Amino acid sequence: MSERKPTAAVREAQKAFKPAEPTKSDYEKAQTAFDQNRERLKAERLAREAADSAGKQPKKLA
C-alpha cells in the first residue's frame, strides 16, 4: 500500500504541536559540567606535559 502524504493543514498542525524537548535534570546538568571541566583540565595537562617534554615553559591558559 502506498502511504498518504500529509496535507498542508496537517503539516502546519505538526509544526505547531511539536513535542517539547525534555529539560535536563539537575543531575544531568552537573554531570555535563563535570565532564566539560574534566576534558578542559585534561587538555591543559597534556599541553603542559608536551611543553615539559619539549623543554619549553608552558603557556598559561586563561
Side-chain angles (χ1 to χ4, degrees):
M1 295 191 114
S2 65
E3 283 198 31
R4 301 173 84 182
K5 293 185 179 180
T7 63
V10 172
R11 286 191 304 269
E12 287 297 318
Q14 288 172 342
K15 286 181 190 176
F17 295 103
K18 284 185 181 178
E21 293 186 22
T23 58
K24 285 187 173 183
S25 68
D26 289 340
Y27 175 78
E28 289 173 318
K29 290 176 188 176
Q31 282 298 111
T32 301
F34 179 82
D35 291 338
Q36 290 172 347
N37 192 40
R38 185 183 69 234
E39 291 298 319
R40 181 185 58 82
L41 292 172
K42 180 180 176 183
E44 288 180 10
R45 178 181 52 83
L46 292 173
R48 280 194 311 270
E49 289 175 357
D52 287 344
S53 66
K56 298 179 183 176
Q57 292 295 327
K59 292 181 180 179
K60 286 194 172 187
L61 299 175

